[in-house]
Amino acid sequence: MSELELAIEAPTETAVFTDALAAFAELVRDDGSLDGERREIELRSDDRAALLAEWLEELVYLADVQQFVPEHLTDLQLDADTLRATVRGHRGEPSALVKAVTRHRLSFEGDRDGGWHARVVLDV
């Protein structure tokens, strides 16, 4: 297995999760039709880094098990320990590039300017 590290810099915590979905969607995209389906996702964790990993793990699961190819978010709500999202996409043949989400080098931190930096490693 190889690794692919996502390094995300964003102005808000919500934007980190949005950017992570966009990166994942780019990795698994296919030539299928647009916006045929949606998935409602709810995850809980009191640790932002763990929540980011769980977010990506759920996207990997949807791609692997349901052949769901995510395209974009239509809604994302983030509070102290819960993420609720609606993801639009389609059933298709997602690239099998992403195998798993790892926990090593996982981080999610704010900076002095009010922005956010996150890092997550994917097994590919």
Side-chain angles (χ1 to χ4, degrees), residues 30 32-37 67-69 71 88-92:
D30 67 0
S33 63
L34 299 176
D35 284 344
E37 298 188 15
Q67 286 72 54
F68 180 72
V69 181
E71 292 166 9
R88 298 289 303 189
H90 65 273
R91 282 169 109 9

Side-chain angles (χ1 to χ4, degrees), residues 59-107:
L59 296 173
V60 170
Y61 169 81
L62 291 171
D64 283 348
V65 174
Q66 298 181 9
Q67 286 72 54
F68 180 72
V69 181
E71 292 166 9
H72 65 275
L73 285 169
T74 57
D75 184 44
L76 178 67
Q77 299 170 21
L78 192 60
D79 63 30
D81 66 351
T82 306
L83 175 146
R84 289 179 190 85
T86 303
V87 179
R88 298 289 303 189
H90 65 273
R91 282 169 109 9
E93 296 183 26
S95 165
L97 179 63
V98 180
K99 307 290 185 221
V101 179
T102 71
R103 301 291 173 145
H104 69 283
R105 295 193 313 261
L106 178 64
S107 67

Side-chain angles (χ1 to χ4, degrees), residues 2-58:
S2 297
E3 294 181 338
L4 175 68
E5 184 172 279
L6 298 180
I8 301 169
E9 293 183 25
T12 66
E13 289 180 282
T14 302
V16 170
F17 289 89
T18 301
D19 289 353
L21 173 88
F24 181 81
E26 186 71 25
L27 292 170
V28 300
R29 82 171 172 211
D30 67 0
D31 295 326
S33 63
L34 299 176
D35 284 344
E37 298 188 15
R38 72 177 188 184
R39 297 292 185 274
E40 304 289 332
I41 298 171
E42 183 171 331
L43 304 167
R44 293 187 196 288
S45 178
D46 59 357
D47 177 79
R48 279 293 192 251
L51 192 59
L52 178 62
E54 290 174 26
W55 170 238
L56 288 164
E57 286 170 348
E58 183 67 15

